[in-house]
Amino acid sequence: QVQFVESGGGLVQPGGSLRLSCAASGSSFSIYTMAWYRQAPGKQRELVAAINGVGGTIYADSVPGRFTISRDNAKSTMYLQMNSLKPEDTAVYYCNTYMATIPWGQGTQVTVSS
């Protein structure tokens, strides 16, 4: 079964940047529409961005122009480039298929604070 491992989080000051990675194990990564989600303390998990197998993308209203989702099917890896980070972007970030069909991984913590 496919599994996803997130990495790249950390502590960054407001206005800073981070690049998250999501590495997939197993086969058939390219057929999945993939997505990044995040869950802030005390809040429900929410969709941040999604990308289909040929690069079509959608973004949450709070992030277009600041975040860029991309994927490298040859490496079975998805990325989230996050620029102009704000304190409200603080959350645990997860990757999954767009329909969240795979058990959730550990996620990667992103903390935006001065």
Side-chain angles (χ1 to χ4, degrees):
Q1 183 174 349
V2 174
Q3 291 183 315
F4 303 120
V5 177
E6 305 91 344
S7 62
L11 173 64
V12 63
Q13 293 186 340
S17 298
L18 284 173
R19 189 194 194 204
L20 306 184
S21 297
C22 169
S25 64
S27 61
S28 304
F29 173 77
S30 63
I31 70 172
Y32 292 113
T33 293
M34 293 292 299
W36 284 99
Y37 298 82
R38 67 185 180 188
Q39 187 167 21
K43 295 187 177 181
Q44 289 189 329
R45 189 174 287 152
E46 63 175 358
L47 177 72
V48 176
I51 184 168
N52 65 19
V54 293
T57 59
I58 60 170
Y59 294 92
D61 290 342
S62 58
V63 305
R66 299 191 300 120
F67 291 7
T68 303
I69 189 172
S70 62
R71 66 192 295 165
D72 185 337
N73 289 333
K75 296 182 178 180
S76 296
T77 302
M78 178 177 66
Y79 305 98
L80 186 68
Q81 178 67 44
M82 305 187 295
N83 299 326
S84 302
L85 282 162
K86 304 176 181 180
E88 51 263 44
D89 295 318
T90 295
V92 179
Y93 285 71
Y94 302 87
C95 62
N96 208 320
T97 63
Y98 181 63
M99 299 302 292
T101 55
I102 305 300
W104 295 98
Q106 296 295 313
T108 186
Q109 175 70 50
V110 172
T111 302
V112 185
S113 175
S114 56

